[in-house]
Amino acid sequence: DQQVKQNSPSLSVQEGRISILNCDYTNSMFDYFLWYKKYPAEGPTFLISISSIKDKNEDGRFTVFLNKSAKHLSLHIVPSQPGDSAVYFCAASGVGGSNYKLTFGKGTLLTVNP
Amino acid sequence: DTGVSQNPRHKITKRGQNVTFRCDPISEHNRLYWYRQTLGQGPEFLTYFQNEAQLEKSRLLSDRFSAERPKGSFSTLEIQRTEQGDSAMYLCASIWGVNTEAFFGQGTRLTVV
């Protein structure tokens, strides 16, 4: 039972345009959400996070939106750059008794074309 | 701060052999996690340490797997009698305090032949 779902295995965008990566979750106990970026043969690198008490968090070119009622979050990258090409993982954590372990989606491969 | 360090980066072993991986977390990070990632999947939680205490183990962690974190510093993950299904990337992550941004190492790629 996949508690965190990334339904798009891949996404291709042109350099300079917006990339939107989507993530859905089913467990209402999740209250902290993170996006990680992963290059081949490397470990995931933390990108941005959002607490369930917020609906938006922004860091430079990266913005994460959270819609709690829909159990949906998205990562916007504007403008997209070729160096952003990587696999992006959505992860969720339920603090307070969950030991802060992360539950990951299967990832979305983003390709930014020059 | 040199980040989370994992050794070896790659390991090829024959089926039935034992292997051990090491993780050195960011210094003073009291929480340490092991995850496993297979092709086309996201990382899956295996086990968690707070300081030297192993507080949670996933049901994915069969009795062939054992993890330790002596003295609350580095951690080791041992797999006994390896099987081809154990082939995966094994990732270690550490967190300081109640901050939930986990920092990952580069992983150990295990191939069982």
Side-chain angles (χ1 to χ4, degrees), chain A residues 57-68:
Chain A
N57 189 27
E58 198 170 350
D59 183 2
R61 298 187 295 115
F62 303 92
T63 303
V64 56
F65 296 91
L66 175 63
N67 182 334
K68 278 189 66 177

Side-chain angles (χ1 to χ4, degrees), chain A residues 2 32 34 36 38 41-44 46 49 89 93 95 98-102 104-106, chain B residues 9 31 33 35 37 40-43 45 48 56 89 91 95 98 100-102 104-106:
Chain A
Q2 195 93 36
Y32 198 80
L34 307 91
Y36 282 84
K38 187 178 184 302
E42 294 187 9
F46 170 73
S49 62
F89 289 101
S93 170
V95 299
S98 72
N99 293 325
Y100 306 101
K101 67 184 179 188
L102 298 174
F104 285 85
K106 290 187 177 184
Chain B
R9 291 289 310 278
R31 298 172 184 264
Y33 302 76
Y35 291 83
Q37 185 181 14
Q41 303 293 320
F45 169 79
Y48 157 66
E56 187 173 349
M89 172 78 86
L91 295 161
I95 297 175
V98 296
T100 56
E101 284 87 13
F104 283 83
Q106 292 185 301

